[in-house]
Structure formats: C-alpha cells, structure tokens
C-alpha cells in the first residue's frame, strides 16, 4: 500500500531499554520489542494494563518483532484502506469513504467523521492513553514531547494523516508517569476470536477504591474511535461515587451517550458499555474493595 521514496532502517538504534524514572514511572525505548515490554517485571508490577494490552495483540511471533514505536504508528486495519478499488480518504484524500455505507462492523462509533470512520488498531496505545503516557520524538527541529492523547489526529480535515508526526520524525521513547494506583489495572479486549484478532471493543482501566468509594480511576477505550479514546466523561462520573455496579453502569452510559452506530456496528455502544462495567468489576473484585 505504501510506496515510500526512501526506506530508513532504524533497528540498530540504541532504543531498546526500559528505564526507571524518578517517581515510579518508566521510559520505554521505541525499539523495545512488544514481547520484552510485556515480559518486563517492572511493567507487570507497576502497569499490568500495559503488559495485558500488549499480550492481547497480534501473535507471539509478531510480538517478538514488533516494536513500541511501530505499534503506536501502525495504520488502521479498515479493509477499504487496503482495497485499491475502494474509495478511501485515508488512502487517497478526496475519494470518499466506502465504509460509511459498506461493511462497517469494526468501525468507529465515537470521534469519527463523514470523511473516515476507521478505528485505531493499537492495543498498547489504549493502555498508554489511560496512563497519560508521553511520546518522546526527535526530528529535524530537535526533540519534543507529545502526550499520547495529542499524538493522534481527528480524521475530520485530513484523514490521511493519522498522527501529528511530521516527515522525518522518529519516536524515540514512551514515558509512563509514576501512578501507584496503576498497579491495580486491567485490559479487557473483546474480539471475534480468542486470539490473533483486533479489538471490536477494548477497555483499559485503572481503579483505586477507598472506603467503598472510587478514589482514582482511569479509563480508555479501543476499537471504537479513530484514536485511543480516553473516557473522561465516565471518569468524572465515577470519581467519589460508590464503587458499585450501578455507578459503573452510569459512568459507561455517560461516556457512550454520544456514540453513533451504523448499519453493521450498532452493537458497539452496548458492547463497550458492558466491557467498561466488566473491567471495573474485575478490578473491585480483585482488591475486595466493593
Ligand atoms: C496479522 C497481524 C495482527 C495484528 N494484531 C494486532 C492486534 O491485535 N493489536 C495490536 O495492537 N497490534 C496488532 N498488530 C500490529 C503488530 O503488533 C505490530 O505492532 C505492528 O505490525 C507494527 O510493527 P513494527 O513495530 O514492526 O512496526 P513497522 O511495521 O516496522 O512500522 C509501522 C509504521 O510505524 C513507523 N515506525 C516504526 N517505528 C517508528 C518510530 N520509532 N518512530 C516513528 N515511526 C515509526 C513505520 O515507518 C511504519 O510506518 C498486528 C499485526 C499483524 C500483521
């Protein structure tokens, strides 16, 4: 699909380390392999949601090769994007979007536009969005840092540009801030097969419950939007509320109220609703906090 004029091999750059940051955070080199990231004892202890998200993606063989920077930069799996005969604004701006009235079962229900309803595919990105990760980038104008939330663009004006990265930009690392509550975190992915399939819906959740109430919560959704979707509305709804199934349902409802399904994906808002509730329930059950 891509026809680059120049191919640069970055695989020998020294960006393969996972380092500890002051305050309990981690700096993950852009060339850390997905398998190594998921196996890291630091990641598993401090940010289990990241390890679980990575292990929920692709296959063992792919994870052995795939890198942190590459996983975040992968393009959509929308079938029309890969079909030269289809209209696709992401592939060729101005041609239209065959998915709007086509087979849109896997497509977006939040944050899309009439120019593109493809979803972002990375599982890792969903977990990192929940954790307020920051992407370190270096380019012709020097180094800069971009929050993961700002890395991905809305498809409205230029759907062919997935991210705010500029030509010759290189992701060098991803930094996760120290978040003690993230030790109680979970990634739940719903898909057509138990393994080796992209998410229909996924949820990254972090929860701390104190005296029966939600003291800290972080939620992000995958498979529903053109970017990892941080569920701020649900988080606001939950903070300070009793950590009960009723609160979880109300929070999911708040987040998904604006969701719009199309012919084949109208099931997604309800599926996302249930997946949010299930992920939060799992975190309260594990801590015995509810
Ligand atoms: C069959 C299949 C199933 C998959 N299933 C899943 C899944 O369920 N969930 C999931 O999350 N992923 C899935 N993946 C994606 C996979 O896990 C890899 O993350 C993905 O293929 C990227 O691999 P890579 O690191 O080799 O990047 P590459 O393929 O080498 O690169 C991908 C893109 O990122 C750019 N890039 C690479 N590194 C950098 C960098 N440091 N800075 C800037 N740009 C960069 C490249 O130029 C390219 O455009 C699947 C892939 C396949 C083939």
């Amino acid at each position: 699909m891509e026809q680059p004029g120049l191919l640069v091999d970055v695989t020998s750059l020294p960006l393969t380390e996972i380092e500890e940051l002051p305050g309990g955070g981690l700096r993950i080199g852009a060339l850390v392999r997905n398998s190594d990231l998921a196996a890291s004892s630091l990641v598993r202890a401090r940010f289990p949601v990241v390890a679980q998200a990575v292990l929920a993606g692709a296959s063992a063989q792919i994870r052995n090769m795939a890198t942190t920077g590459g996983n975040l930069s992968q393009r959509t799996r929308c079938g029309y994007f890969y079909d030269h005969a289809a209209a696709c604004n992401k592939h060729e701006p101005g041609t239209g979007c065959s998915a709007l009235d086509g087979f849109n079962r896997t497509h977006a229900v939040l944050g899309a536009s009439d120019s593109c309803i493809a979803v972002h595919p990375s599982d890792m990105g969903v977990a990192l969005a929940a954790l307020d990760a920051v992407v370190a980038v270096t380019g012709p104008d020097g180094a800069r840092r971009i929050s993961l939330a700002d890395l991905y663009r809305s498809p409205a004006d230029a759907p062919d540009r997935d991210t705010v990265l500029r030509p010759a930009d290189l992701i060098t690392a991803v930094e996760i801030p120290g978040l003690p509550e993230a030790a109680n975190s979970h990634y739940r992915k719903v898909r057509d097969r138990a393994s080796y399939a992209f998410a229909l819906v996924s949820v990254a959740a972090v929860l701390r419950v104190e005296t029966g109430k939600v003291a800290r919560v972080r939620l992000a959704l995958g498979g529903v939007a053109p970017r990892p979707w941080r569920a701020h509305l649900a988080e606001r709804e939950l903070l300070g509320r009793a950590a009960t199934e009723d609160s979880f349902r109300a929070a999911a409802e708040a987040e998904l109220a604006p969701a719009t399904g199309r012919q084949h994906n109208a099931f997604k808002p309800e599926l996302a609703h249930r997946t949010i509730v299930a992920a939060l329930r799992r975190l309260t059950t594990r801590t015995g906090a509810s």
Side-chain angles (χ1 to χ4, degrees), residues 13-288:
L13 292 174
L15 304 171
T16 55
E17 299 298 320
I18 300 176
E19 298 161 71
E20 293 189 67
L21 294 172
L26 294 177
R27 182 179 169 89
I28 300 157
L31 288 171
V32 171
R33 304 282 182 186
N34 286 186
S35 303
D36 294 333
L37 182 62
S40 157
S41 55
L42 289 170
V43 174
R44 291 163 68 93
R46 296 181 192 180
F47 307 106
V49 66
V50 173
Q52 291 168 18
V54 170
L55 289 176
S59 64
Q61 289 89 341
I62 291 174
R63 293 194 296 270
N64 285 341
M65 294 304 294
T67 62
T68 304
N71 184 275
L72 293 178
S73 309
Q74 64 177 300
R75 306 212 65 189
T76 183
R77 311 305 291 196
C78 173
Y80 297 109
F81 176 68
Y82 295 92
D83 179 356
H84 281 287
C88 176
N89 288 323
K90 193 178 274 304
H91 184 211
E92 201 175 331
T95 55
C97 173
S98 291
L100 292 178
D101 299 312
F103 188 61
N104 44 37
R105 182 167 181 275
T106 59
H107 289 70
V109 292
L110 286 167
S113 86
D114 278 351
S115 62
C116 180
I117 57 169
V119 295
H120 176 75
S122 165
D123 289 295
M124 181 199 300
V126 179
L128 293 175
L131 300 172
D132 281 327
V134 171
V135 176
V137 174
T138 190
D141 301 327
R144 65 191 199 281
R145 292 157 54 81
I146 309 168
S147 78
L148 195 97
D150 295 333
L151 177 68
Y152 299 104
R153 296 181 72 261
S154 154
D157 53 343
D160 55 315
R161 290 183 52 217
D162 296 348
T163 69
V164 298
L165 294 182
R166 302 191 286 253
D169 273 349
L170 180 77
I171 297 175
T172 51
V174 174
E175 291 181 5
I176 311 178
L179 296 167
E181 66 268 29
N184 189 42
S185 61
H186 178 55
Y187 191 72
R188 191 174 183 99
K189 177 172 175 179
V190 182
R191 47 190 157 167
D192 283 328
R193 289 189 299 260
S195 168
Y196 204 23
F198 287 89
L200 287 170
V201 165
S202 67
V203 173
V206 174
L207 185 69
R208 176 182 284 174
V209 177
E210 288 170 3
T211 59
K213 295 209 166 116
V214 175
R216 295 254 198 289
V217 62
R218 293 168 167 274
L219 284 170
L221 309 180
V224 295
R227 55 167 72 190
W229 187 263
R230 183 70 182 270
H232 287 297
L233 294 173
E235 291 177 4
R236 273 201 286 278
E237 180 74 27
L238 274 170
L239 259 186
R241 293 281 163 88
T244 61
E245 192 109 353
D246 281 350
S247 308
F248 300 162
R249 280 201 210 99
E253 208 159 302
E255 191 64 47
L256 294 159
T260 323
R262 292 177 184 268
Q263 186 182 359
H264 300 288
N265 67 356
F267 67 92
K268 274 198 178 184
E270 176 61 23
L271 183 60
H273 186 293
R274 293 181 190 199
T275 312
I276 290 173
V277 174
L280 291 169
R281 186 195 302 129
R282 155 99 183 227
L283 289 172
T284 48
T285 313
R286 279 195 336 183
T287 54

